[in-house]
Amino acid sequence: MSCREENNEDVRKPFLHTGSWYRMGSRQSSMMGSSQVIRDSSISVLACVLIVALGPIQFGFTCGYSSPTQIAIIKDLKLTVSEFSLFGSLSNVGAMVGAISSGQIAEYIGRKGSLMIAAVPNIIGWLAISFAKDPSFLYMGRLLEGFGVGIISYVVPVYIAEIAPQNLRGGLGSVNQLSVTIGIMLAYLLGLFVNWRVLAVLGTLPCLALIPGLFFIPESPRWLAKMGLTEDFETSLQVLRGFDADITNEVNEIKRSIASSTNRRTAMRFADLKHRRYWLPLMVGIVLLILQQLGGINGVIFYSSNIFLSAGISSSNAATFGVGAIQVVATAVATWLVDKTGRRLLLIVSSAGMAVSLLVVAVSFYLKGYVSEDSTLYGILGILSVVGVVFMIISFSLGMGPIPWLIMSEILPIKIKGLAGSTATLANWLFSWVITVTAPLLMAWSSGGTFTIYMVMCAFTVAFVAIWVPETKGRTLEEIQSSLR
């Protein structure tokens, strides 16, 4: 008996249905002999990943927007530093609201429908910022952006993990963070040439391109299987693997995994968390995403221009763009490495590299307090602090940037994926907000002390990864779930 027949009364329809051309293609593949691009499984999956990656580009653009626009917005709208700090942090507040709802939205209407819902408030939010005449429109726009980004930050890595073949899942999953860094770099670059209102209008472009793109990609086959849509599930998987590919083994493995899990209509209870298969992945996912933020990366990215100014770099916006470009390159390297070296090794190297880099920055800022501003040593310490910040961002991009999201999407069991994914994403955005709000205050208190705090958290991350984080390289999602039992 099929999953559809067993759960006929509770079958949900995806918000954005898999297009009829997929059905035609899978049944009449001989008619598409010239379309080798669609037949090639990796190209087909890559096309889907590139479309949904527009969402993380929007994510990154939101993160990077406040750095090149700070001085101009404060001047044009006569804001205080604290008012602009509130503006910068409100995207995190909106993202927390989006994160709370992201798991349930993705479970009810599918991954594609969730991204459609996320795109609309992002577009409205950017337009509100562009036309703002007072702080209220700025705040409203930032909250709307954040809400959409909160959904995107959960749904995109989950969708990519659920469609990717096991041998490509690490690299394709890392495209999520690569796209975030591209978005940040674009915000830095365009901020050098256009004013803040035009930059806000340009911020709508990724989501304006994402919306039509969603109609041309299949829904997650694992979500379709969980919902009992057996025919759609097999069709979606077929187009992802190629119309000539034999998907029998993968179909059977997914069906066995769905069948062995508790009935999908049974609510998750707190008592269930006593089982290792639930509490371990939930704990690892939440703690990793919290530690990603406690290393201070958002404090550095959101206020990088000010950091460079305090270090004595006059062209701080150009330096910030340079850092954004370096971050893109480093994340691209991580995308290539993650399926070769494994997740754990990259996480350990990344967090250790961040700790060392932050130690260099902290010592540089401490010593600058005891050196004359006119001395040669003062300038050398300024350069050394910038080098430390750059290497901190490179280290972050090699592991702590892409991999926590990847691991979260890989290890959460089907039964708790919606609730647990929302919780982990909410924790990430909550601590992102804390870091964003406190970074300028901590920097005003003590730059050296601020980076010392971040360094200690990175050192703790090394120990946590070594003890608790499982290696997921080379395993199917179903094999990972089985190993956690």
Side-chain angles (χ1 to χ4, degrees), residues 45-114:
V45 172
L46 180 60
C48 297
V49 170
L50 291 178
I51 289 173
V52 298
L54 291 166
I57 289 176
Q58 173 73 80
F59 179 169
F61 205 92
T62 300
C63 293
Y65 179 79
S66 61
S67 182
T69 59
Q70 178 173 353
I71 295 174
I73 291 178
I74 289 176
K75 180 181 178 182
D76 290 353
L77 298 185
K78 298 178 174 59
L79 303 183
T80 64
V81 173
S82 61
E83 286 175 327
F84 185 84
S85 179
L86 176 62
F87 166 72
S89 66
L90 280 177
S91 63
N92 301 90
V93 177
M96 284 187 271
V97 179
I100 292 170
S101 58
S102 61
Q104 294 306 307
I105 293 174
E107 290 301 300
Y108 264 91
I109 65 173
R111 313 322 189 195
K112 295 203 303 173
S114 302

Side-chain angles (χ1 to χ4, degrees), residues 22 82 155 223 235 244 298 313 358 382 397 406 442 444 452 457:
Y22 291 121
S82 61
V155 175
W223 181 82
T235 301
D244 291 337
N298 269 352
I313 306 298
L358 288 166
S397 301
L406 173 61
L442 288 172
T452 300
M457 297 313 304

Side-chain angles (χ1 to χ4, degrees), residues 364-423:
S364 298
F365 274 108
Y366 273 127
L367 293 179
K368 284 180 70 175
Y370 299 97
V371 177
S372 170
E373 293 186 12
D374 297 327
S375 66
T376 304
L377 181 57
Y378 187 89
I380 293 173
L381 290 173
I383 294 173
L384 190 61
S385 64
V386 171
V387 170
V389 167
V390 169
F391 275 98
M392 181 260 196
I393 292 176
I394 291 173
S395 298
F396 175 83
S397 301
L398 287 174
M400 284 304 293
I403 296 178
W405 292 107
L406 173 61
I407 288 181
M408 181 272 291
S409 67
E410 291 177 323
I411 67 175
L412 293 180
I414 292 173
K415 182 177 179 180
I416 67 169
K417 179 165 278 189
L419 177 61
S422 292
T423 304

Side-chain angles (χ1 to χ4, degrees), residues 180-354:
V180 174
T181 63
I182 290 172
I184 293 171
M185 183 188 70
L186 288 174
Y188 290 165
L189 174 63
L190 295 173
L192 294 173
F193 303 104
V194 301
N195 66 41
W196 62 273
R197 294 187 187 275
V198 175
L199 190 62
V201 173
L202 294 176
T204 65
L205 297 181
C207 282
L208 287 174
L210 173 64
I211 290 174
L214 291 172
F215 289 94
F216 293 93
I217 62 176
E219 181 56 86
S220 160
R222 286 176 170 85
W223 181 82
L224 292 169
K226 182 183 176 184
M227 293 300 105
L229 300 169
T230 307
E231 186 179 358
D232 289 335
F233 145 56
E234 294 180 8
T235 301
S236 177
L237 189 62
Q238 187 71 71
V239 73
L240 288 167
R241 301 295 179 259
F243 292 132
D244 291 337
D246 183 0
I247 61 171
T248 304
N249 290 338
E250 192 169 1
V251 165
N252 291 335
E253 187 176 6
I254 294 172
K255 284 182 177 179
R256 281 195 300 269
S257 177
I258 297 294
S260 65
S261 65
T262 306
N263 188 292
R264 61 189 168 84
R265 291 169 294 168
T266 303
M268 181 67 190
R269 299 172 299 174
F270 283 105
D272 293 331
L273 294 179
K274 67 183 180 182
H275 300 297
R276 184 177 188 274
R277 63 179 297 194
Y278 294 132
W279 69 257
L280 177 60
L282 179 59
M283 182 273 291
V284 170
I286 290 175
V287 174
L288 263 185
L289 286 173
I290 289 175
L291 290 173
Q292 182 193 60
Q293 296 301 326
L294 290 181
I297 188 64
N298 269 352
V300 173
I301 289 176
F302 276 52
Y303 302 101
S304 53
S305 292
N306 283 353
I307 290 173
F308 289 138
L309 281 174
S310 66
I313 306 298
S314 56
S315 55
S316 58
N317 282 340
T320 300
F321 165 69
V323 168
I326 291 170
Q327 190 178 14
V328 172
V329 174
T331 307
V333 171
T335 300
W336 174 69
L337 284 175
V338 69
D339 278 320
K340 300 180 182 298
T341 63
R343 284 54 156 164
R344 278 167 48 88
L345 179 60
L346 276 182
L347 282 175
I348 290 172
V349 170
S350 171
S351 48
M354 289 175 68

